[in-house]
Amino acid sequence: MGLMKLEQALHAARALVLADLAAGEVARADIVSLVEDAIAHRRWWVEQWPEGVAYVAGLVAQDVQDALLERYGRWPLCPVCTQGGDLHALDVEPELGPDPHWVCGKTAVAVAPVGSLGTTL
Protein backbone atom coordinates (compact mmCIF):
# COMPACT_ATOMS: atom_id res chain seq x y z
CA MET A 1 0.00 0.00 0.00
CA GLY A 2 1.24 3.44 -0.81
CA LEU A 3 2.15 5.91 1.88
CA MET A 4 -0.34 8.40 0.44
CA LYS A 5 -3.28 5.98 0.78
CA LEU A 6 -2.28 5.14 4.36
CA GLU A 7 -1.98 8.78 5.35
CA GLN A 8 -5.30 9.66 3.70
CA ALA A 9 -7.05 6.87 5.62
CA LEU A 10 -5.49 7.95 8.91
CA HIS A 11 -6.34 11.62 8.36
CA ALA A 12 -9.90 10.70 7.44
CA ALA A 13 -10.24 8.51 10.55
CA ARG A 14 -8.88 11.33 12.73
CA ALA A 15 -11.32 13.82 11.23
CA LEU A 16 -14.32 11.50 11.67
CA VAL A 17 -13.58 10.72 15.31
CA LEU A 18 -12.81 14.36 16.12
CA ALA A 19 -16.13 15.37 14.54
CA ASP A 20 -17.95 12.91 16.80
CA LEU A 21 -16.06 14.11 19.86
CA ALA A 22 -16.91 17.71 18.99
CA ALA A 23 -20.57 16.78 18.50
CA GLY A 24 -20.61 15.42 22.04
CA GLU A 25 -18.71 18.49 23.29
CA VAL A 26 -15.85 16.39 24.62
CA ALA A 27 -13.06 17.38 22.20
CA ARG A 28 -10.74 18.69 24.92
CA ALA A 29 -6.97 18.67 24.45
CA ASP A 30 -6.41 15.62 26.68
CA ILE A 31 -9.04 13.67 24.75
CA VAL A 32 -7.63 14.74 21.38
CA SER A 33 -4.36 13.25 22.61
CA LEU A 34 -6.17 9.91 22.91
CA VAL A 35 -7.12 10.21 19.25
CA GLU A 36 -3.50 10.83 18.31
CA ASP A 37 -2.43 7.77 20.32
CA ALA A 38 -5.02 5.66 18.49
CA ILE A 39 -3.85 7.01 15.12
CA ALA A 40 -0.23 6.12 15.92
CA HIS A 41 -1.23 2.60 16.94
CA ARG A 42 -3.37 2.08 13.83
CA ARG A 43 -0.62 3.42 11.57
CA TRP A 44 1.56 0.54 12.72
CA TRP A 45 -1.37 -1.89 12.43
CA VAL A 46 -2.13 -0.93 8.81
CA GLU A 47 1.54 -1.09 7.90
CA GLN A 48 1.45 -4.71 9.09
CA TRP A 49 -1.89 -5.50 7.39
CA PRO A 50 -2.39 -3.16 4.40
CA GLU A 51 -5.70 -4.80 3.46
CA GLY A 52 -7.13 -3.42 6.72
CA VAL A 53 -6.93 0.21 5.58
CA ALA A 54 -10.71 0.28 4.97
CA TYR A 55 -11.28 -0.57 8.64
CA VAL A 56 -9.19 2.20 10.18
CA ALA A 57 -12.01 4.68 10.94
CA GLY A 58 -14.04 2.15 12.91
CA LEU A 59 -11.00 0.87 14.75
CA VAL A 60 -9.83 4.35 15.73
CA ALA A 61 -13.36 5.12 16.97
CA GLN A 62 -13.31 1.95 19.07
CA ASP A 63 -9.81 2.69 20.39
CA VAL A 64 -10.85 6.17 21.48
CA GLN A 65 -14.06 4.85 22.99
CA ASP A 66 -12.09 2.26 25.01
CA ALA A 67 -9.56 4.86 26.19
CA LEU A 68 -12.35 7.23 27.23
CA LEU A 69 -14.10 4.46 29.17
CA GLU A 70 -10.95 3.78 31.16
CA ARG A 71 -10.33 7.45 31.97
CA TYR A 72 -13.64 9.32 31.82
CA GLY A 73 -16.61 7.04 31.35
CA ARG A 74 -18.92 5.91 28.58
CA TRP A 75 -18.89 7.69 25.23
CA PRO A 76 -20.88 8.32 23.12
CA LEU A 77 -24.01 7.88 25.15
CA CYS A 78 -26.95 6.33 23.34
CA PRO A 79 -29.54 8.92 22.31
CA VAL A 80 -32.09 6.18 21.56
CA CYS A 81 -32.42 4.72 25.06
CA THR A 82 -33.07 7.80 27.17
CA GLN A 83 -35.90 6.39 29.28
CA GLY A 84 -35.36 4.63 32.59
CA GLY A 85 -31.91 5.94 33.38
CA ASP A 86 -30.13 3.05 31.64
CA LEU A 87 -27.27 5.05 30.17
CA HIS A 88 -25.04 3.07 27.87
CA ALA A 89 -22.60 3.79 25.10
CA LEU A 90 -23.16 3.19 21.43
CA ASP A 91 -21.20 0.42 19.73
CA VAL A 92 -19.24 0.62 16.49
CA GLU A 93 -20.51 -1.84 13.90
CA PRO A 94 -19.16 -3.67 12.14
CA GLU A 95 -16.39 -4.23 14.64
CA LEU A 96 -13.99 -4.93 11.80
CA GLY A 97 -15.33 -3.72 8.51
CA PRO A 98 -15.80 -0.78 6.21
CA ASP A 99 -18.49 1.91 6.62
CA PRO A 100 -18.60 1.89 10.44
CA HIS A 101 -21.72 3.15 12.22
CA TRP A 102 -22.60 4.01 15.80
CA VAL A 103 -25.30 1.54 16.80
CA CYS A 104 -27.40 1.05 19.92
CA GLY A 105 -26.49 -2.43 21.11
CA LYS A 106 -29.79 -2.85 22.95
CA THR A 107 -32.18 -1.92 20.13
CA ALA A 108 -29.93 -2.54 17.09
CA VAL A 109 -30.78 0.96 15.84
CA ALA A 110 -28.09 2.50 13.65
CA VAL A 111 -27.73 6.01 15.07
CA ALA A 112 -25.19 7.54 12.68
CA PRO A 113 -22.12 6.75 10.62
CA VAL A 114 -18.84 7.30 12.44
CA GLY A 115 -18.12 11.00 11.97
CA SER A 116 -21.79 12.03 11.80
CA LEU A 117 -22.93 12.03 15.43
CA GLY A 118 -23.52 15.78 15.10
CA THR A 119 -26.61 15.02 13.05
CA THR A 120 -28.22 13.03 15.88
CA LEU A 121 -26.95 14.35 19.20
Side-chain angles (χ1 to χ4, degrees):
M1 171 185 25
L3 181 60
M4 182 68 115
K5 186 174 180 180
L6 168 62
E7 290 303 316
Q8 287 175 339
L10 292 170
H11 285 293
R14 177 187 293 113
L16 293 172
V17 174
L18 288 174
D20 286 344
L21 288 166
E25 299 179 1
V26 293
R28 300 186 320 254
D30 57 332
I31 294 174
V32 171
S33 293
L34 299 176
V35 176
E36 295 307 320
D37 291 345
I39 292 294
H41 172 73
R42 292 303 169 181
R43 175 177 280 112
W44 175 88
W45 183 83
V46 174
E47 287 171 349
Q48 305 308 306
W49 188 47
E51 295 81 18
V53 72
Y55 312 146
V56 169
L59 291 170
V60 169
Q62 290 174 47
D63 292 345
V64 171
Q65 186 178 41
D66 291 346
L68 282 170
L69 179 61
E70 291 175 14
R71 295 183 186 188
Y72 302 102
R74 295 181 188 107
W75 175 85
L77 292 178
C78 178
V80 175
C81 300
T82 57
Q83 303 295 325
D86 181 24
L87 297 177
H88 61 276
L90 296 172
D91 299 324
V92 175
E93 291 187 9
E95 287 185 28
L96 185 62
D99 193 28
H101 280 68
W102 292 109
V103 176
C104 172
K106 294 186 181 229
T107 64
V109 170
V111 174
V114 169
S116 298
L117 279 178
T119 63
T120 60
L121 293 182

